[in-house]
Amino acid sequence: NEDAHQHHLDEEEHIFPALLASHNREIVQVVQHLFEDHGWLEEDWREIAPFLQAAADGNNNADPEDLRHAIETFETLYHDHMLLEESFAYPEARKRVPDEYMAALQDQMALRRAARKALDTE
């Protein structure tokens, strides 16, 4: 529940501003699209998460067709979002964000994931 949300926040705080500062029309449009995706992904996840948690707890009150449709919608959006990031946004960010900054950000994210994993195993 938290990793994807935090990933989006990291992008919005650390990556997207550098891309927006380019003032390149195509780059700005892609970043705006990715921002919108984050909102839709959050909304879709909030719809799906309770059903998945209920199923994990042994309660399955969801209409299977509704749940299947919601998951397929989420999956398609996430797939398209990741393709846009990997094929366009991240290559552009690598040109604009200093390597040291990116390395520090990656270290910060790794530490956060390790801390969350440690809490999950307690």
Side-chain angles (χ1 to χ4, degrees):
N1 278 335
E2 292 298 316
D3 288 342
H5 177 73
Q6 188 59 54
H7 171 79
H8 293 164
L9 292 177
D10 287 336
E11 289 176 336
E12 291 171 7
E13 183 178 342
H14 301 288
I15 304 301
F16 291 176
L19 295 174
L20 292 171
S22 74
H23 301 293
N24 175 295
R25 185 172 179 249
E26 183 181 16
I27 294 171
V28 169
Q29 287 177 334
V30 167
V31 171
Q32 289 170 339
H33 183 86
L34 293 171
F35 265 119
E36 289 174 8
D37 282 356
H38 287 176
W40 287 114
L41 288 164
E42 292 284 329
E43 185 175 317
D44 289 348
W45 183 251
R46 281 193 303 271
E47 179 182 333
I48 294 168
F51 294 111
L52 297 177
Q53 185 61 52
D57 293 341
N59 305 322
N60 193 359
N61 298 331
D63 178 322
E65 284 304 311
D66 287 345
L67 183 55
R68 183 181 347 273
H69 175 59
I71 290 172
E72 287 172 357
T73 299
F74 179 80
E75 181 181 45
T76 299
L77 177 57
Y78 224 107
H79 180 263
D80 293 348
H81 179 82
M82 288 188 305
L83 282 176
L84 188 55
E85 286 180 338
E86 295 298 328
S87 68
F88 187 85
Y90 289 159
E92 288 297 327
R94 284 184 197 97
K95 296 176 191 175
R96 291 167 172 72
V97 179
D99 291 341
E100 303 81 29
Y101 186 79
M102 287 296 281
L105 179 59
Q106 290 170 338
D107 289 346
Q108 185 183 67
M109 288 186 289
L111 287 171
R112 190 171 45 246
R113 282 191 301 274
R116 184 169 294 120
K117 185 177 180 180
L119 286 175
D120 290 344
T121 58
E122 290 181 350

